[in-house]
Amino acid sequence: MKTRRNAILSVLAAGIATAILPALASAQDFPKPKQPLVISVIDVAGDLQLSQPALDKFAETHPDLVSKFVYTQATAPELAGKLQAQQAAGRVDIDFVLTGNDALAAGMEQGLWTEILPKYADKFPDLEKLYLPGAYAMQKMARGQAFVDDWYPSGPLLEYAPDRVKDLPDTAEKLLAWCKANPGKFMYARPANSGPGRTFVMGLPYLLGDKDPMDPVHGWDKTWAYLKDLDGCIEYYPAGTTATMKELGEGTRDIIATTTGWDVNPRYLGIVPEEYKVGTLKGFHWVGDANYVAIPKGVSDEKMGVLLQLIAYMLKPEQQAFMYDHGYMYPGPAINGVTIDMAPQESQDTFKRFGRPEYTAMIADNPVEPPLDAKPLVAMFDKWDREIGGAKLKK
């Protein structure tokens, strides 16, 4: 009887194991490449300057998986069209995407991304414990289709030339009045392709007291009215943030919208003078921002297995320390327990010279809000392009 009972239990155990295996699909199930792969990476967020050291380190330490990464860059608005065309042709040439929430949201709307979670959750356990709270809030917004690889509280901040602006406006109303009194001297870039641009716009509902900061279509009456009024004293809108930094540095503009990272990094690069200052508007809320890594649909199983290992590798503390970089996503790391003393010495030197001590208190003393979710973010981009800046865009 005992032998028979053990046999029955063994059969039942085997049956249960077989039944649950499909639900526990593992990243380890993918075949190992027969030879090292060439992985095509496209960056539409300027994220390579943070994450390329981690990617290169993966290739160096996994020569059996990756022979090299091939890097290309594009703008966020053009990525969806590229992927759609490749997927329709049945030939996806882009393996790995570095993106902000702009192109991520557009791709989610159009079904362009591989769903990684919950299918491969065994590879990414305890994400809530792994990520910093603000980064985890943005990770949830990706709905399992991407992973946050760096994060920061972002803005909205105003950056200005103290030799030309003696008294920085400290409320939204005063900024509008200053802009009207100094036409053409304030600038922000197109939100659909600019972190500071979209952060500035997404921060206004909190400053202006709109009824629903997370609903740009039905809850932003005050914000849209303000942006239309502000438009009257803005000469044009650049397609990306870099142009605003150059014009501030060259003296064409006196105040621009910025974020912590876009304050620190351009001063490190010498695009903006080191002595330029930043300020906030009274009652502001931080709007978090992040960069993500995503895998387009249509990538081969052979590459898929390698890319899942790559994502897990990028979320390790040693690789996250690279995300301090030179302040581009100030501070940068998305996970808990990564401190500046773990970063390369050149990053530590940048933070000592170009970081701002006041940021610590500003981050601690002001609320941090998530950005708009995918659908409302796309709706905001569309409405802004149609009703605010579309006619005044300049590439």
Side-chain angles (χ1 to χ4, degrees):
M1 288 291 293
K2 186 175 180 180
T3 301
R4 183 182 177 192
R5 184 183 65 184
N6 289 344
I8 291 171
L9 289 174
S10 296
V11 170
L12 287 173
I16 292 169
T18 301
I20 66 172
L21 275 175
L24 298 177
S26 169
Q28 304 301 326
D29 293 340
F30 291 104
K32 183 177 179 180
K34 296 177 181 177
Q35 58 186 18
L37 302 173
V38 175
I39 301 293
S40 170
V41 179
I42 190 168
D43 173 22
V44 296
D47 192 57
L48 271 176
Q49 62 181 307
L50 286 81
S51 58
Q52 186 172 344
L55 293 171
D56 290 344
K57 191 73 173 178
F58 182 84
E60 178 187 329
T61 55
H62 297 76
D64 56 328
L65 301 180
V66 176
S67 62
K68 67 176 179 178
F69 290 103
V70 176
Y71 300 112
T72 59
Q73 292 181 290
T75 64
E78 65 186 300
L79 177 63
K82 283 179 177 287
L83 287 175
Q84 277 183 319
Q86 291 182 14
Q87 290 169 350
R91 182 180 174 181
V92 176
D93 296 327
I94 297 171
D95 303 316
F96 199 61
V97 177
L98 308 175
T99 178
N101 65 338
D102 40 17
L104 178 68
M108 291 172 68
E109 280 286 283
Q110 297 172 46
L112 303 181
W113 309 119
T114 297
E115 292 193 9
I116 300 171
L117 298 176
K119 189 173 183 181
Y120 306 113
D122 67 303
K123 194 70 174 173
F124 308 99
D126 299 324
L127 289 181
E128 187 171 4
K129 293 181 181 178
L130 177 71
Y131 279 116
L132 294 165
Y136 184 65
M138 298 198 68
Q139 176 61 32
K140 290 190 291 184
M141 294 171 64
R143 295 184 175 83
Q145 298 175 46
F147 285 82
V148 171
D149 69 317
D150 45 67
W151 174 86
Y152 72 139
S154 192
L157 303 174
L158 300 177
E159 188 161 8
Y160 65 101
D163 57 328
R164 303 192 297 274
V165 180
K166 303 299 184 183
D167 188 14
L168 181 71
D170 61 1
T171 68
E173 293 75 17
K174 289 181 181 178
L175 176 63
L176 178 61
W178 185 93
C179 189
K180 289 181 176 181
N182 299 272
K185 293 300 182 180
F186 172 71
M187 171 179 276
Y188 69 97
R190 182 191 182 197
N193 195 43
S194 168
R198 64 178 175 268
T199 301
F200 173 71
V201 172
M202 288 188 292
L204 285 174
Y206 299 100
L207 288 162
L208 299 173
D210 258 322
K211 64 180 181 180
D212 188 352
M214 301 305 288
D215 184 355
V217 176
H218 304 292
W220 282 23
D221 290 348
K222 294 177 181 178
T223 295
W224 292 119
Y226 183 90
L227 289 170
K228 288 176 182 177
D229 209 359
L230 194 65
D231 175 70
C233 57
I234 293 177
E235 182 180 351
Y236 78 94
Y237 300 94
T241 311
T242 301
T244 68
M245 297 293 155
K246 289 180 178 178
E247 296 207 16
L248 177 68
E250 293 166 355
T252 311
R253 316 297 161 188
D254 293 342
I255 303 176
I256 61 171
T258 193
T259 60
T260 57
W262 276 98
D263 160 42
V264 174
N265 189 250
R267 288 188 299 119
Y268 158 77
L269 294 173
I271 299 171
V272 174
E274 184 176 345
E275 66 274 13
Y276 280 19
K277 296 184 179 297
V278 295
T280 63
L281 301 175
K282 287 180 181 176
F284 96 108
H285 291 211
W286 293 103
V287 178
D289 199 3
N291 287 328
Y292 296 82
V293 294
I295 303 172
K297 288 180 178 177
V299 170
S300 69
D301 281 355
E302 188 179 48
K303 288 185 175 179
M304 186 72 183
V306 172
L307 294 173
L308 292 175
Q309 292 184 61
L310 172 61
I311 295 172
Y313 180 84
M314 294 176 71
L315 296 179
K316 293 183 180 296
E318 298 80 8
Q319 312 315 317
Q320 282 285 302
F322 285 123
M323 304 307 169
Y324 282 107
D325 179 57
H326 293 290
Y328 181 61
M329 294 282 285
Y330 188 97
I335 70 170
N336 283 297
V338 183
T339 54
I340 185 63
D341 59 290
M342 299 168 62
Q345 186 60 49
E346 56 265 30
S347 295
Q348 298 182 43
D349 294 343
T350 296
F351 273 53
K352 286 177 183 177
R353 179 172 175 180
F354 297 98
R356 297 189 188 272
E358 61 265 35
Y359 279 155
T360 300
M362 289 168 62
I363 293 170
D365 297 342
N366 294 281
V368 180
E369 310 291 349
L372 295 174
D373 208 346
K375 285 182 180 292
L377 184 64
V378 172
M380 183 271 279
F381 290 157
D382 179 65
K383 187 175 176 71
W384 188 94
D385 282 348
R386 286 186 290 106
E387 299 183 9
I388 305 298
K392 293 166 71 171
L393 282 178
K394 182 178 177 182
K395 294 184 178 181

